[in-house]
Amino acid sequence: MPDVAVVGAGPNGLAAAVTMARAGLAVHLFEAADSVGGGLRTAQLIEPGHFHDVCSAVHPMALASPFFRDFELSRRVRLEVPELSHGAPLDGGRAALGYRSLERTVDALGRDGGAYRRLMAPLLDRLDGVAEVALNQLLRVPRQPVAAAVFGLRALEQGTRAWGVRFREELAPALLSGVAAHAVAPLPTLPAAAAGLLLGALGHAGGWPIPLGGSAAIAAAMVADFEAHGGVVQTGARIGALTELPPARATLLDVAPPALLRIAGSRLPPRYRRALESFRFGNAACKVDFILSGPVPWAARELADAGTVHVGGTRAETAEAEHLVAAGRHPERPYVLVSQPSRFDPGRAPAGRHILWTYCHVPAGSTVDMGGAVMAQLERFAPGFRELVVGFRVTTAAQLADYNENYVGGDFSAGAMDLRGLLRRPVLSPVPWRTPLHGLYLCSSSTPPGPGVTGMPGFHAAKYALKDIFGLPAPSLGL
């Protein structure tokens, strides 16, 4: 019998499994799907020989997450890091450009360059402290209070109507709004601003890596390490109840609260069950994957070198699109998040072909096909785009929910990204990874720090399980 059972082989379940196995414990990992990965899967979705990331494609946290840093991911997976981390096109062939070099970005932003430097430079100077705040439970005293204060004050500015005070032109606000909109939340709000500032700072530090071979390469590296340390993986194993698991001393669940309720059932105390039942999910995504006969013909040619492009127009247009989604509507001009992986990883498509990864935000549970709206936005900023489309595939929010039980209603964040949703994730507790059942831990993105391929929910849960149940410290994860 194993010492530890882990349910769910997404990035957080894998991080938990790797950590427990590295501690010398016998670990059995159960995954409902036929393959591991969760949000780290790559597949030939449209035509053979064209490899699309099913969920995540670009990994801003891969070089900053304490788990992945300890795991030495960059030594295990080849990561291509574009010099132009991200960009945001505007009408008239203009674009806001976020380079890895802060000074190059400042130069490209014109009159607002100096104001942008004053916003971002203090975060870069204290990036470890900022990441420590952002990648942990918020109900704690930060280890670096000055970094926390600098980060908090800037989030307060960019997360309120004060966001219009600092800048005089359109480029810098568009650049920041494009990154903040990753949060699937109205703009401006504090959580969106905090997410945007962290991601923006990471774009100037290590950059936003694209794994060669697709996101599945990250999952493969984690599974290889897990199995090398004695771990056992069982796919095609959907767990319906705790009684279906071996009687392990510790059980870690990479599942959303509804699945925790289903699996643990009446064994959970009534108060905790009620808290899980009231857990709120956020809005969702409609994903559109493309095969193209050539690179995207951006009107702003510099965007050809961007790993990620935020297609939403001005700050006001992006904010309007996100407010419509929050109101339960589908924008005619949605905010579209775009990645161009074959520009940096030619093996993802045959010679002369490119793949393009896109999604836009939609209301939770949406069955609306947003393919036309996404193409219209791309055509707006890349005239001639439609003529390059060889094939495309739409995944609605409802289909995204069917793909992964954790994406309730198509919410790939596994929980609302507002202040309440960050503090009560899934409950208000200094150690939200622990459940009231001895030896049972939650390690999904429904726990801090929330969404993104960080491995941190699993890492946090595993460290508490090691301490609580086995009296062991966190192990070394490096090669």
Side-chain angles (χ1 to χ4, degrees):
M1 292 297 176
D3 300 307
V4 180
V6 179
V7 176
N12 296 315
L14 287 169
V18 164
T19 304
M20 301 301 270
R22 281 284 190 137
L25 301 172
V27 185
H28 200 137
L29 174 61
F30 299 87
E31 167 56 43
D34 293 332
S35 62
V36 302
L40 289 173
R41 291 195 179 104
T42 305
Q44 300 174 79
L45 297 176
I46 303 173
E47 291 185 10
H50 300 75
F51 295 89
H52 306 264
D53 287 316
V54 179
C55 295
S56 61
V58 183
H59 300 278
M61 296 305 307
L63 300 176
S65 156
F67 170 78
F68 282 124
R69 288 170 67 175
D70 289 355
F71 187 66
E72 297 184 280
L73 181 67
S74 60
R75 294 182 61 189
R76 301 171 187 264
V77 175
R78 186 176 169 191
L79 301 172
E80 188 69 28
V81 185
E83 179 59 32
L84 180 54
S85 296
H86 59 93
L90 296 172
D91 291 321
R94 299 173 297 149
L97 306 172
Y99 293 97
R100 288 174 62 188
S101 164
L102 176 61
E103 289 308 312
R104 190 173 178 186
T105 303
V106 165
D107 290 343
L109 290 176
R111 287 205 305 162
D112 281 335
Y116 182 85
R117 182 196 290 111
R118 290 188 291 275
L119 177 71
M120 299 301 294
L123 299 177
L124 290 168
D125 292 341
R126 301 169 177 85
L127 190 54
D128 286 346
V130 169
E132 191 267 336
V133 171
L135 295 177
N136 217 310
Q137 164 63 298
L138 295 180
L139 297 176
R140 57 192 293 275
V141 177
R143 294 177 184 172
Q144 299 186 41
V146 174
V150 168
F151 185 40
L153 289 172
R154 279 157 174 74
L156 188 64
E157 173 197 311
Q158 291 298 309
T160 65
R161 289 299 172 186
W163 72 346
V165 173
R166 185 178 291 264
F167 302 110
R168 295 172 290 175
E169 297 184 335
E170 291 183 327
L171 291 179
L175 189 70
L176 290 165
S177 299
V179 183
H182 280 238
V184 200
L187 302 178
T189 54
L190 292 176
L197 289 168
L198 175 63
L199 293 174
L202 293 174
H204 296 308
W208 289 10
I210 296 172
L212 295 193
S215 292
I218 297 176
M222 296 171 78
V223 169
D225 188 88
F226 174 60
E227 293 181 332
H229 289 85
V232 176
V233 179
Q234 183 177 341
T235 58
R238 186 177 188 272
I239 303 301
L242 290 177
T243 53
E244 297 174 12
L245 293 169
R249 293 176 64 188
T251 300
L252 291 85
L253 304 179
D254 181 6
V255 302
L260 173 57
L261 285 165
R262 171 175 57 78
I263 292 170
S266 60
R267 294 179 61 179
L268 295 169
R271 183 176 180 181
Y272 188 77
R273 288 204 309 269
R274 288 193 297 271
L276 295 181
E277 289 166 354
S278 67
F279 184 76
R280 298 174 306 117
F281 290 90
N283 283 311
C286 178
K287 185 166 179 283
V288 189
D289 292 287
F290 293 94
I291 295 175
L292 305 178
S293 61
V296 179
W298 299 110
R301 295 182 181 180
E302 301 93 335
L303 292 176
D305 294 324
T308 301
V309 183
H310 303 120
V311 178
T314 64
R315 166 172 273 181
E317 289 178 301
T318 298
E320 173 64 14
E322 295 303 279
H323 276 285
L324 288 172
V325 172
R329 298 167 61 186
H330 295 78
E332 291 184 13
R333 286 187 163 185
Y335 161 83
V336 184
L337 203 151
V338 178
S339 175
Q340 311 178 113
S342 55
R343 163 68 178 79
F344 306 95
D345 183 5
R348 300 282 292 277
R353 293 281 185 91
H354 284 269
I355 61 167
L356 195 70
W357 175 99
T358 79
Y359 72 79
C360 68
H361 297 156
V362 294
S366 169
T367 59
V368 174
D369 179 337
M370 294 291 286
V374 167
M375 280 193 264
Q377 280 286 68
L378 289 167
E379 183 72 25
R380 173 186 171 190
F381 296 107
F385 172 81
R386 291 180 188 275
E387 298 174 9
L388 299 177
V389 176
V390 175
F392 68 97
R393 181 179 188 266
V394 175
T395 305
T396 67
Q399 291 168 332
L400 198 61
D402 291 339
Y403 163 77
N404 190 325
E405 188 177 359
N406 286 0
Y407 300 166
V408 176
D411 173 16
F412 59 86
S413 298
M417 291 297 291
D418 57 15
L419 196 56
R420 176 187 167 190
L422 292 179
L423 291 172
R424 296 180 58 184
R425 202 167 187 95
V427 295
L428 193 66
S429 167
V431 187
W433 307 278
R434 288 191 189 121
T435 78
L437 292 184
H438 180 72
L440 182 66
Y441 297 81
L442 188 64
C443 66
S444 69
S445 292
S446 298
T447 64
V453 179
T454 67
M456 290 305 295
F459 195 36
H460 285 308
K463 288 191 290 184
Y464 278 106
L466 287 171
K467 176 184 174 183
D468 298 343
I469 308 302
F470 302 100
L472 294 173
S476 170
L477 303 177
L479 289 168

